[in-house]
C-alpha cells in the first residue's frame, strides 16, 4: 500500500461564490498509496475543492499542507511542482495537435530551440509501457477515441512527474471495458506508492476502486468511511440525507402496436457530415426503448430530429401511422410528442420565468389557456398547481422563478411539462443528468409510470446502468449507426460496452 503518512492535508478550506458556499470549512487528508473517493451529488462541492488543491481557485479561508509543510498553490503550475496532476472531466487537449505535442505543451523542455522530439517520444513510450498506457505519440488527438484521449491526459500528468492524480468523474465518457482498464491503471499506480483522488457520484465505482470514501453534501463533509465499512445503503443515506429504495423494473412487456417508426433515417450535422447514418427501429406503445452509447455519436441529433428541431436528409419518421418527417415543432407537439432535453438550463427551462410560466410553455396554442383571445391566468395557475402536486415540485409558490429551485425540482418542472404534452411519445435524453439519487429515482418512477399508461418512450442516456434498469429493448449507437438492438433479458454489459466502442461481432472475428 505504500507509505501511509499524510501526503496532503486540507484544513478549514472554505470557498464562497455569489449566493452560495461551495466549500464550507472542509478538513481532508490523503495518505501515500491511497485511493480516496470524493463522493456526492453534482453541486456538492467536490470539483471546487479539488480545483483549489490544483490551483485553479484560491480558497477564501483555510490552509493546504503537503508532507506536513504549509504551501500556497496559486496556479496549476504550482500544483505540478508539488507533484499534483488533475485529469479533468472535459479534456484539455488541443484536437489538431499530435499526442506528443499535447504532452510536451507548456513544459520547460519544450523550447523550440532545443526541442528533441525523439527524446520526448522515448519518455512517453517509457511511461506508457510502465503503466499500460500505450498510445501512438504521432496520432492526431481528434482522431482518437475518447478512451485513448483520456489516456493521453494521464500520460501528460505523469510526464510532469505527478505522484498524486486528481480524477474528476473520469468514467463519464468511457465504455465499461475502458473503465476497467482505467481501474487497472489506478491499482498499478497505487501499488507503486502513489495516490489518487477519485471524484464520482457513482456508487458502484467508489465501492470498487476506493480505499477510503469521503462524502460531501451541500459543500460540507458529512461522512468519511473506509471501503470495508461502506455499504451502498450507508453511502446513499450520507449522500442525500435519507434512505432510498432504488426503483427496479422487471422489463417484461406485452407487444402492442408500433407508435414510433424510424425508417432508413439519415441526418447531416452542422459540419455537413452524416451524424445519423441510415438507421431504422420502432418503439411500441407501453415500451421503453433505450439507446446506449458514448456521448457524441449522434444521439442528440436523433432526438432533435424527432422533435422538429433538426431537419432530416433522407428516411421517414412515422408516429401513430402519420408521417412527421421534417414537420415543424408545433405540429409535432400537436401530435403528442414530449421532449425532455439533455440540458434543462439551455433547452428545458427559461430560468427567469416563473414555474407556472415554464409549465405553460409549448402550450400557447392550446385553447383551454385562452379566454376571448386573452391568456386565461386562472387556467394557467390551475395547470401549475395540478402539475406541482402530481410531480411533487417543491417551491414557495407557482410564482417562484425557476432559477430559485434546486436542480432536482428544476428537472421535475421540465419533466412535468413534457409528460403532460407527450400523450403518445416521450423522448428523454439524459433525463437524470446532474441529479441526486432521490431525484434520479423520482424521474425513473415517472418514466415507468408513463410506460405503464401506454406511452412509447425513447430513452437516450450515456449511463449504461440507467439504460439497463429501465429499458425493454436496447439499441447501441456508434458514429451515427445503430449497431444492434438487444432484448433487455439478453443484454450483457460486456457486449454493450464493446458495441459502444464500435466493436461488433464481425470485426471481433477479424471481418470487415
Amino acid at each position: 500500500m505504500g507509505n501511509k503518512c499524510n501526503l496532503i492535508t486540507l484544513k478549514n478550506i472554505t470557498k464562497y461564490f455569489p449566493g452560495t458556499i461551495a466549500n464550507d470549512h472542509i478538513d481532508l487528508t490523503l495518505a501515500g498509496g491511497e485511493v480516496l473517493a470524493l463522493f456526492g451529488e453534482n453541486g456538492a462541492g467536490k470539483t471546487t475543492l479539488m480545483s483549489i488543491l490544483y490551483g485553479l481557485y484560491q480558497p477564501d479561508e483555510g490552509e493546504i499542507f503537503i508532507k506536513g509543510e504549509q504551501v500556497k498553490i496559486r496556479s496549476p503550475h504550482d500544483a505540478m511542482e508539488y507533484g499534483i496532476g488533475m485529469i479533468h472531466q472535459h479534456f484539455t487537449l488541443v484536437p489538431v495537435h499530435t499526442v506528443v505535442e499535447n504532452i510536451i505543451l507548456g513544459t520547460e523542455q519544450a523550447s523550440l530551440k532545443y526541442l528533441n522530439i525523439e527524446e520526448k517520444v522515448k519518455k512517453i513510450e517509457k511511461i506508457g509501457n510502465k503503466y499500460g498506457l500505450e498510445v501512438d505519440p504521432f496520432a492526431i488527438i481528434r482522431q482518437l477515441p475518447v478512451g485513448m484521449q483520456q489516456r493521453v491526459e494521464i500520460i501528460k500528468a505523469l510526464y510532469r512527474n505527478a505522484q498524486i492524480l486528481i480524477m474528476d468523474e473520469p468514467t463519464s465518457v468511457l465504455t465499461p471495458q475502458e473503465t476497467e482498464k482505467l481501474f487497472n491503471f489506478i491499482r498499478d499506480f497505487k501499488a507503486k506508492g502513489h495516490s489518487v483522488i477519485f471524484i464520482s457520484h457513482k456508487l458502484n465505482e467508489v465501492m470498487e476502486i476506493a480505499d477510503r470514501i469521503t462524502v460531501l453534501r451541500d459543500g460540507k463533509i458529512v461522512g468519511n468511511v473506509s471501503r470495508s465499512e461502506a455499504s451502498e445503503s450507508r453511502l446513499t443515506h450520507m449522500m442525500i440525507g435519507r434512505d432510498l429504495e432504488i426503483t427496479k423494473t422487471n422489463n417484461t412487456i406485452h407487444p402492442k402496436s408500433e407508435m414510433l417508426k424510424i425508417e432508413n433515417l439519415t441526418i447531416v450535422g452542422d459540419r455537413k457530415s452524416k451524424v445519423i447514418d441510415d438507421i431504422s427501429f420502432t418503439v411500441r406503445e407501453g415500451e421503453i426503448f433505450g439507446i446506449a452509447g458514448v456521448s457524441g455519436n449522434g444521439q442528440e441529433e436523433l432526438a432533435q430530429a424527432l422533435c422538429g428541431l433538426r431537419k432530416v436528409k433522407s428516411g421517414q419518421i412515422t408516429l401513430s401511422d402519420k408521417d412527421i418527417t421534417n414537420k415543424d415543432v408545433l405540429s409535432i407537439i400537436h401530435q403528442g410528442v414530449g421532449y425532455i432535453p439533455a440540458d434543462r438550463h439551455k433547452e428545458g427551462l427559461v430560468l427567469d420565468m416563473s414555474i407556472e410560466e415554464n409549465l405553460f410553455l409549448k402550450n400557447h396554442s392550446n385553447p383551454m389557456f385562452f379566454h376571448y383571445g386573452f391568456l386565461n391566468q386562472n387556467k394557467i395557475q390551475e395547470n401549475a398547481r395540478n402539475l406541482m402536486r402530481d410531480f411533487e415540485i417543491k417551491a414557495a409558490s407557482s410564482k417562484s422563478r425557476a432559477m430559485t429551485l434546486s436542480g432536482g425540482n428544476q428537472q421535475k418542472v421540465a419533466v412535468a411539462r413534457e409528460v403532460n404534452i407527450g400523450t403518445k411519445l416521450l423522448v428523454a435524453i439524459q433525463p437524470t443528468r446532474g441529479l441526486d439519487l432521490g431525484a434520479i429515482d423520482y424521474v425513473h418512477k415517472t418514466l415507468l409510470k408513463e410506460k405503464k399508461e401506454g406511452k412509447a418512450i425513447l430513452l437516450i442516456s450515456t449511463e449504461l446502468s440507467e439504460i439497463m434498469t429501465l429499458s425493454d429493448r436496447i439499441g447501441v449507437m456508434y458514429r451515427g449507426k445503430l449497431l444492434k438492438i438487444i432484448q433487455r433479458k439478453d443484454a450483457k454489459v460486456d457486449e454493450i460496452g464493446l458495441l459502444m466502442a464500435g466493436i461488433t461481432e464481425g470485426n471481433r472475428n477479424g471481418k470487415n
Side-chain angles (χ1 to χ4, degrees):
M1 290 286 288
N3 179 15
K4 278 302 179 184
C5 69
N6 286 337
L7 288 181
I8 292 177
T9 302
L10 304 181
K11 289 186 178 180
N12 205 38
I13 296 294
T14 302
K15 182 65 179 176
Y16 300 97
F17 289 118
T20 187
I21 304 178
N23 293 144
D24 191 354
H25 301 90
I26 287 179
D27 294 332
L28 190 76
T29 60
L30 175 71
E34 177 182 44
V35 178
L36 172 67
L38 285 187
F39 182 59
E41 68 193 56
N42 287 1
K46 309 183 299 294
T47 299
T48 300
L49 182 65
M50 289 301 101
S51 294
I52 289 171
L53 179 58
Y54 191 58
L56 291 168
Y57 293 145
Q58 296 303 304
D60 295 309
E61 299 175 32
E63 302 163 320
I64 300 173
F65 296 84
I66 295 180
K67 295 180 180 177
E69 180 183 347
Q70 186 173 352
V71 299
K72 292 283 186 183
I73 302 178
R74 297 178 177 86
S75 68
H77 183 268
D78 287 351
M80 291 173 202
E81 289 291 310
Y82 291 116
I84 301 168
M86 187 166 183
I87 313 303
H88 299 272
Q89 185 175 1
H90 303 290
F91 304 147
T92 57
L93 302 171
V94 182
V96 296
H97 285 185
T98 63
V99 169
V100 63
E101 288 168 342
N102 270 275
I103 289 171
I104 67 176
L105 192 63
T107 62
E108 286 183 28
Q109 302 96 315
S111 165
L112 288 175
K113 188 176 179 181
Y114 303 106
L115 192 59
N116 185 335
I117 286 290
E118 291 77 13
E119 181 184 306
K120 312 304 177 190
V121 166
K122 284 180 183 177
K123 184 175 178 181
I124 290 167
E125 289 175 339
K126 184 178 179 182
I127 293 169
N129 292 333
K130 181 178 180 180
Y131 289 103
L133 298 171
E134 294 84 358
V135 63
D136 178 3
F138 298 104
I140 303 296
I141 291 296
R142 69 181 176 196
Q143 296 172 348
L144 295 176
V146 288
M148 197 63 73
Q149 289 184 31
Q150 185 184 72
R151 185 175 290 192
V152 176
E153 284 278 29
I154 294 171
I155 295 173
K156 190 168 75 171
L158 299 179
Y159 187 91
R160 291 160 170 76
N161 300 314
Q163 298 167 41
I164 299 162
L165 284 180
I166 303 166
M167 294 186 163
D168 189 359
E169 301 282 358
T171 67
S172 61
V173 294
L174 302 184
T175 68
Q177 286 82 2
E178 288 168 336
T179 296
E180 189 51 43
K181 287 179 183 176
L182 175 68
F183 283 6
N184 287 337
F185 159 73
I186 291 173
R187 294 182 186 105
D188 189 27
F189 188 68
K190 182 183 86 167
K192 291 178 170 62
H194 306 314
S195 302
V196 174
I197 300 177
F198 187 90
I199 302 173
S200 182
H201 67 277
K202 298 179 181 179
L203 274 167
N204 59 326
E205 290 183 356
V206 299
M207 290 288 286
E208 179 177 349
I209 199 64
D211 298 309
R212 190 161 53 91
I213 302 160
T214 296
V215 185
L216 273 74
R217 188 171 78 240
D218 298 330
K220 296 180 180 180
I221 289 180
V222 294
N224 201 341
V225 295
S226 67
R227 179 169 48 178
S228 60
E229 299 171 322
S231 66
E232 290 197 1
S233 59
R234 185 176 180 184
L235 290 176
T236 300
H237 190 280
M238 284 192 285
M239 182 178 178
I240 67 173
R242 59 185 174 85
D243 292 325
L244 179 68
E245 184 179 336
I246 301 297
T247 298
K248 296 186 185 296
T249 178
N250 59 19
N251 296 108
T252 57
I253 65 168
H254 305 288
K256 294 182 180 179
S257 60
E258 292 175 352
M259 177 62 74
L260 176 70
K261 190 174 185 180
I262 306 289
E263 296 177 280
N264 306 113
L265 197 69
T266 295
I267 301 171
V268 174
D270 299 332
R271 296 183 179 178
K272 308 304 179 187
S273 59
K274 290 180 182 177
V275 289
I276 296 293
D277 190 0
D278 192 30
I279 69 171
S280 300
F281 65 93
T282 61
V283 187
R284 300 191 293 263
E285 294 177 12
E287 177 187 35
I288 297 179
F289 186 93
I291 292 185
V294 175
S295 182
N297 280 280
Q299 303 98 312
E300 290 206 25
E301 290 86 351
L302 171 62
Q304 289 166 354
L306 293 178
C307 301
L309 296 167
R310 185 177 288 271
K311 293 296 181 184
V312 169
K313 182 181 180 184
S314 61
Q316 189 174 45
I317 305 170
T318 307
L319 181 72
S320 193
D321 296 326
K322 291 183 179 178
D323 186 355
I324 61 168
T325 314
N326 287 334
K327 297 290 186 185
D328 62 85
V329 173
L330 192 58
S331 297
I332 291 176
I333 289 172
H334 287 164
Q335 290 298 321
V337 178
Y339 171 55
I340 303 169
D343 191 327
R344 59 181 168 269
H345 288 173
K346 287 185 179 178
E347 297 181 87
L349 301 170
V350 180
L351 296 176
D352 276 331
M353 284 187 174
S354 67
I355 295 170
E356 64 184 40
E357 288 170 330
N358 272 282
L359 291 170
F360 168 68
L361 286 177
K362 298 172 75 169
N363 268 314
H364 61 271
S365 61
N366 189 330
M368 74 172 281
F369 293 112
F370 291 88
H371 186 67
Y372 295 113
F374 293 92
L375 289 177
N376 188 332
Q377 295 295 341
N378 290 334
K379 284 291 184 184
I380 291 172
Q381 290 167 19
E382 182 185 343
N383 176 65
R385 285 195 299 269
N386 290 339
L387 290 176
M388 289 178 71
R389 180 196 65 224
D390 293 345
F391 287 83
E392 300 176 18
I393 299 166
K394 294 182 175 65
S397 79
S398 64
K399 303 288 186 186
S400 300
R401 287 198 293 176
M403 68 171 58
T404 65
L405 303 180
S406 67
N409 280 297
Q410 287 178 351
Q411 188 71 352
K412 285 181 181 181
V413 172
V415 169
R417 184 188 62 232
E418 300 306 321
V419 165
N420 199 32
I421 290 168
T423 55
K424 294 178 182 176
L425 172 68
L426 195 57
V427 178
I429 179 163
Q430 306 284 35
T432 60
R433 175 184 282 170
L435 301 185
D436 65 38
L437 289 177
I440 289 171
D441 190 55
Y442 187 87
V443 172
H444 285 179
K445 284 177 177 173
T446 299
L447 294 177
L448 292 172
K449 177 175 175 287
E450 297 308 305
K451 163 193 162 177
K452 190 175 180 180
E453 292 181 2
K455 292 183 185 179
I457 297 174
L458 180 65
L459 172 64
I460 299 172
S461 178
T462 56
E463 295 283 356
L464 189 50
S465 59
E466 183 166 68
I467 293 287
M468 297 285 280
T469 297
L470 297 178
S471 304
D472 300 300
R473 287 184 299 143
I474 300 169
V476 186
M477 284 189 67
Y478 178 75
R479 293 188 176 175
K481 290 185 176 292
L482 195 59
L483 297 186
K484 191 173 184 179
I485 296 174
I486 309 166
Q487 295 286 340
R488 172 61 185 89
K489 61 182 176 61
D490 301 324
K492 297 179 176 64
V493 170
D494 287 348
E495 180 187 12
I496 292 177
L498 290 170
L499 289 167
M500 287 167 65
I503 302 170
T504 62
E505 195 170 335
N507 58 35
R508 280 205 299 271
N509 295 330
K511 301 174 185 175
N512 293 327

